[in-house]
Amino acid sequence: MNQPLAVGIDIGGTNSVFGIVDRRGNILYQGSIKTKDHQDISLYLDALHEGLAPLLDKAMGNGDEIKGIGIGAPNGNYYHGSIEFAPNLPWKGVIPLANLIRDQFGLPVVVTNDANAAAIGEMTFGAAKGMRDFIMVTLGTGLGSGIVINGQLVYGHDGFAGELGHVVMEQEGRLCGCGRYGCLETYVSATGIVRTMLELLREKKTDSVLRKLKPAEITSKIVCDAALAGDQLALEAVDYTARVLGSALANFIAFSSPEAIVLFGGLARAGDLLLEPTRKYMHASVLQIWRDKVKLINSELKESDAAILGASALVWEMKE
Amino acid sequence: MNQPLAVGIDIGGTNSVFGIVDRRGNILYQGSIKTKDHQDISLYLDALHEGLAPLLDKAMGNGDEIKGIGIGAPNGNYYHGSIEFAPNLPWKGVIPLANLIRDQFGLPVVVTNDANAAAIGEMTFGAAKGMRDFIMVTLGTGLGSGIVINGQLVYGHDGFAGELGHVVMEQEGRLCGCGRYGCLETYVSATGIVRTMLELLREKKTDSVLRKLKPAEITSKIVCDAALAGDQLALEAVDYTARVLGSALANFIAFSSPEAIVLFGGLARAGDLLLEPTRKYMHASVLQIWRDKVKLINSELKESDAAILGASALVWEMKE
């Protein structure tokens, strides 16, 4: 068919998913391997090659041309083409991933962090299509972000820009995995909402279906489901999360004045549950000139596809 | 001499200063008029023409070519070429300044806010020369900012990006002129440090030379001078200001990961007095990956020249 295609690889702590994608965002071939089964990077690369090479052969057998490989990974650095000190991946230190994969497949390779890849995916195929200024906020175990300004992803002087999960919301707030206190992601993330729920269960007398569970059994999904079913205390946890997120977003707007903020990932999946109150708090907190002006929307990409689409879209952004 | 020149106009609440500048940042001719003497914009434009036209005639009489006029003004909007609802200027509502001045002088005109103009000036002629990612923070009556990413000024989707003085530092903090509470500029600005000083004088028993003054007589300059002379309470006011600013800058770094942050204006003039402790607090607060990596520096432009230089430098940035 002689069309240009791009490979997208999303490296997560548990699984690595990959696919071959056309310019319109159709995933033509896809596969996956276990990330955590390969403690040694060279064994991981062998497994990746074994999974991906047959897909490349199929695509090229059709006469299609593979333009390159885009990779989204935690702590991925765009400038260095590396993964650097990623706490949730099996490989320690600095992994020169772009070089390793370029040598293996003989294709141009571009690396960025997972949230940046999601932002590029959203801009190319999703809710931010055609936008030149927006902020992507990914709500998973932590809070990630990808910032687009003037149609370009913001990498900063060192490739690490957009760590909005580590904006400090409260000087003596909750202890964060980064060693500091009060970071946004300690409140707004899957783990953050569970911490809030546990605090509410301890501090309040209000009845709740969650009182039947042991603290260790409570997940963000359980909190959201309980809130959707009308549980008063779970609704309070959602409201608190929305208030902190809304205030943070109001500050981000003062920085880059985006056209929209796009929410993506686990916590955002519960539809309007988090979106509605967050929007209310955001517009109540934001400087007058932006009130009811900056959009807050959910991602339009299926979560299972988004990682591959975002990573693949990096290839179309590549400077030749 | 047949060189290209640019006009820079800085419109302040009290004075408007203007100059004709060469590409290396030499101000060849300059003048000023009173802004606040002209409540009517058309009378202001007449006065501006009267002041500026003779300078243009001189420059062109030398065979030099005027490429355009750059204007920095409070609430200046780059996209609209307008001044919009500026509380400290005599003209109300939206003033289509670029069109008015273009019609008057027959030259291309570009408008932006004063802090953005300062950032462009610093990038073209000052401490941020050659940098592609930095943040300019101007400490005057309020706190203004100009953000440069990938070598471009960040205007956002509507031209109003970079309102870092209105990032909320404390949810129920000090009342701000914008009607909200806890904005950065209520703590970090000439008026902010005076508010801090007055609070300390009320709340503490510590002796201070400032106790001899009436509250209304205390200015930021008096606080800084007292601190430089070793006054304990004034030093506390400076330290508190530095702590709030340092925490705020740490958050800004998480957003755009700049190579440097440049301080400019009144409060920054006291040399290392504010810079040193702010740097200490910034590096103590920032995420590990940026510790002792992002520079905090003072502007290298003379304050009297910076406004004209910055505004004129906008002309060289203009797309033809």
Side-chain angles (χ1 to χ4, degrees):
Chain A
M1 319 223 275
N2 297 305
Q3 59 178 334
L5 300 176
V7 177
I9 305 178
D10 179 75
I11 303 181
T14 309
N15 294 305
S16 293
V17 295
F18 44 84
I20 303 181
V21 185
D22 71 15
R23 277 211 95 123
R24 292 187 308 280
N26 300 306
I27 301 177
L28 306 180
Y29 311 96
Q30 63 178 305
S32 73
I33 60 170
K34 292 268 173 219
T35 311
K36 61 176 179 185
D37 284 359
H38 306 90
Q39 297 291 320
D40 185 304
I41 184 71
S42 69
L43 298 180
Y44 173 81
L45 291 173
D46 289 346
L48 182 67
H49 192 266
E50 206 175 304
L52 181 54
L55 308 188
L56 291 171
D57 289 344
K58 269 194 223 167
M60 291 188 289
N62 272 340
D64 293 338
E65 188 198 355
I66 308 290
K67 301 295 279 185
I69 299 176
I71 302 174
N75 294 46
N77 187 294
Y78 175 78
Y79 294 138
H80 307 157
S82 56
I83 296 178
E84 307 194 4
F85 308 100
N88 301 317
L89 294 181
W91 321 302
K92 301 306 159 213
V94 176
I95 308 293
L97 195 67
N99 286 342
L100 292 170
I101 293 192
R102 185 183 305 119
D103 291 349
Q104 201 177 24
F105 290 95
L107 287 166
V109 178
V110 57
V111 171
T112 193
N113 80 39
D114 37 1
N116 285 345
I120 293 278
E122 207 70 36
M123 180 165 66
T124 315
F125 306 118
K129 219 165 167 173
M131 288 188 193
R132 294 181 54 77
D133 296 279
F134 71 98
I135 298 176
M136 182 92 183
V137 173
T138 66
L139 300 168
T141 312
L143 184 152
S145 59
I147 302 162
V148 171
I149 288 176
N150 289 336
Q152 298 174 315
L153 207 57
V154 175
Y155 291 112
H157 85 290
D158 60 357
F160 289 117
E163 284 289 350
L164 298 184
H166 295 285
V167 160
V168 173
M169 295 303 291
E170 215 170 310
Q171 287 303 327
E172 301 184 355
R174 296 179 181 171
L175 180 60
C176 182
C178 74
R180 303 178 310 150
Y181 290 85
C183 289
L184 179 58
E185 76 172 23
T186 67
Y187 301 92
V188 183
S189 65
T191 47
I193 198 171
V194 169
R195 285 171 86 163
T196 302
M197 191 72 235
L198 294 174
E199 277 183 23
L200 289 171
L201 286 166
R202 267 198 313 274
E203 289 165 12
K204 300 226 171 180
K205 300 267 177 238
T206 323
D207 195 31
S208 167
V209 294
L210 298 174
R211 296 208 183 270
K212 291 176 210 143
L213 300 173
K214 289 183 193 129
E217 293 170 344
I218 294 176
T219 64
S220 64
K221 187 173 182 315
I222 289 174
V223 176
C224 290
D225 287 348
L228 286 168
D231 185 85
Q232 198 50 46
L233 213 55
L235 280 166
E236 268 186 58
V238 170
D239 189 72
Y240 181 80
T241 308
R243 192 162 66 216
V244 178
L245 180 55
S247 311
L249 297 181
N251 281 349
F252 302 161
I253 292 171
F255 199 99
S256 71
S257 183
E259 179 178 344
I261 294 169
V262 184
L263 301 185
F264 174 84
L267 266 190
R269 231 178 302 154
D272 288 346
L273 178 70
L274 187 66
L275 192 74
E276 275 296 333
T278 302
R279 188 184 284 137
K280 179 187 78 185
Y281 286 118
M282 179 179 101
H283 286 302
S285 315
V286 81
L287 195 61
Q288 181 75 43
I289 49 170
W290 291 299
R291 199 157 295 165
D292 300 318
K293 208 167 129 186
V294 175
K295 292 171 236 165
L296 180 67
I297 50 183
N298 274 327
S299 162
E300 285 176 6
L301 298 179
K302 264 196 290 176
E303 206 179 348
S304 53
D305 294 350
I308 293 175
L309 288 178
S312 78
L314 283 167
V315 173
W316 311 121
E317 300 282 311
M318 240 180 335
K319 293 190 182 81
E320 313 264 327
Chain B
M1 319 222 277
N2 295 306
Q3 60 178 334
L5 300 176
V7 178
I9 305 177
D10 179 74
I11 303 180
T14 309
N15 294 305
S16 293
V17 294
F18 44 84
I20 303 181
V21 185
D22 71 15
R23 278 211 94 124
R24 293 187 309 280
N26 300 305
I27 302 177
L28 307 181
Y29 311 96
Q30 62 178 306
S32 72
I33 59 170
K34 293 267 172 222
T35 310
K36 61 177 179 185
D37 285 358
H38 306 90
Q39 296 291 320
D40 185 306
I41 183 70
S42 68
L43 297 180
Y44 174 81
L45 291 172
D46 289 345
L48 181 66
H49 192 267
E50 207 174 306
L52 181 53
L55 308 189
L56 291 171
D57 287 344
K58 270 194 223 167
M60 291 188 291
N62 271 340
D64 294 338
E65 188 197 356
I66 309 290
K67 300 296 280 186
I69 299 176
I71 302 174
N75 295 45
N77 187 296
Y78 176 76
Y79 293 138
H80 306 158
S82 55
I83 296 178
E84 308 195 3
F85 306 102
N88 300 318
L89 294 182
W91 323 302
K92 300 307 161 211
V94 176
I95 307 293
L97 194 68
N99 285 342
L100 292 171
I101 294 194
R102 186 182 305 119
D103 291 349
Q104 202 177 24
F105 290 96
L107 287 166
V109 177
V110 58
V111 171
T112 193
N113 80 40
D114 37 0
N116 286 344
I120 293 276
E122 206 70 36
M123 180 165 66
T124 315
F125 306 117
K129 218 165 167 174
M131 289 189 194
R132 293 182 54 78
D133 297 278
F134 72 97
I135 298 176
M136 181 92 184
V137 173
T138 65
L139 300 169
T141 313
L143 185 152
S145 60
I147 302 161
V148 171
I149 288 177
N150 288 335
Q152 299 173 314
L153 207 57
V154 176
Y155 291 111
H157 84 291
D158 59 357
F160 289 116
E163 284 289 350
L164 298 183
H166 295 285
V167 160
V168 173
M169 294 304 291
E170 216 172 308
Q171 287 304 325
E172 301 184 355
R174 295 180 182 170
L175 179 61
C176 182
C178 74
R180 302 177 312 150
Y181 289 86
C183 289
L184 179 58
E185 75 171 22
T186 66
Y187 302 91
V188 183
S189 64
T191 46
I193 198 170
V194 170
R195 284 171 87 162
T196 301
M197 191 71 235
L198 294 175
E199 277 183 23
L200 288 171
L201 286 166
R202 267 198 311 273
E203 289 165 13
K204 300 225 171 182
K205 301 265 178 240
T206 324
D207 195 32
S208 167
V209 294
L210 299 174
R211 294 204 185 273
K212 290 178 212 141
L213 301 173
K214 290 186 192 126
E217 293 169 345
I218 295 177
T219 64
S220 64
K221 187 173 183 314
I222 289 174
V223 176
C224 290
D225 287 348
L228 286 168
D231 185 85
Q232 199 49 46
L233 212 56
L235 280 166
E236 269 187 58
V238 170
D239 189 72
Y240 180 80
T241 307
R243 191 160 70 216
V244 177
L245 180 55
S247 311
L249 298 181
N251 282 349
F252 302 161
I253 292 171
F255 198 101
S256 71
S257 183
E259 181 179 344
I261 294 169
V262 184
L263 302 184
F264 174 86
L267 265 191
R269 231 177 303 154
D272 288 346
L273 178 70
L274 187 66
L275 192 73
E276 275 297 332
T278 302
R279 189 185 282 137
K280 180 187 78 184
Y281 286 118
M282 179 179 100
H283 286 301
S285 314
V286 82
L287 194 61
Q288 181 74 45
I289 50 171
W290 291 299
R291 200 158 294 164
D292 300 319
K293 210 167 128 189
V294 175
K295 291 170 238 164
L296 181 66
I297 49 182
N298 275 328
S299 163
E300 285 177 6
L301 298 179
K302 263 196 292 176
E303 206 179 349
S304 53
D305 293 351
I308 292 174
L309 288 178
S312 78
L314 283 167
V315 172
W316 311 120
E317 300 281 311
M318 241 182 332
K319 294 190 182 78
E320 313 262 329

